[in-house]
């Protein structure tokens, strides 16, 4: 069984000039298909990269900002803040 990418390549080839080429290929649809593929690949790359990151991989400035935000979020509210 051919992989997804092989089948996709054949499909695009048929759209752009293969044996079953029909005149009047809608370039907007081809562009949209390319955009969808590219978006899926880029999202997967972001997801994989995010899974591998650790807090220690952040820049010192970002670590400090994160620590400050967490401290604000997690500190016990004072009596004044509760009212």
């Amino acid at each position: 069984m051919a992989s997804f990418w092989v089948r996709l390549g054949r499909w695009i080839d048929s759209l752009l000039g293969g044996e079953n080429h029909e005149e009047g290929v809608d370039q907007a649809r081809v562009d949209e298909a390319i955009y969808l593929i590219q978006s899926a690949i880029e999202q997967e790359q972001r997801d994989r990269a995010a899974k591998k990151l650790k807090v220690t991989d952040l820049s010192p400035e970002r670590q400090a900002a994160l620590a400050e935000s967490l401290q604000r979020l997690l500190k016990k509210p004072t009596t004044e803040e509760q009212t």
Side-chain angles (χ1 to χ4, degrees):
M1 181 173 169
S3 76
F4 169 79
W5 296 111
V6 171
R7 288 178 294 167
L8 182 64
R10 289 177 187 157
W11 177 77
I12 290 175
D13 184 50
S14 72
L15 281 178
L16 299 178
E19 295 175 16
N20 300 326
H21 178 69
E22 296 178 19
E23 293 299 320
V25 172
D26 185 355
Q27 187 61 43
R29 292 182 73 186
V30 173
D31 291 343
E32 182 67 19
I34 292 169
Y35 174 78
L36 289 172
I37 294 165
Q38 187 175 15
S39 296
I41 291 170
E42 289 172 354
Q43 182 62 49
E44 183 68 19
Q45 286 175 333
R46 285 190 295 272
D47 291 347
R48 287 183 185 187
K51 290 176 186 175
K52 295 178 184 178
L53 286 177
K54 300 174 189 168
V55 172
T56 55
D57 295 333
L58 299 174
S59 69
E61 296 82 15
R62 184 148 311 199
Q63 286 182 27
L66 176 60
E68 184 179 311
S69 296
L70 289 171
Q71 183 179 22
R72 267 195 317 272
L73 176 68
L74 300 174
K75 78 176 186 175
K76 291 184 180 181
T78 62
T79 309
E80 293 173 2
E81 292 174 344
Q82 292 178 351
T83 58

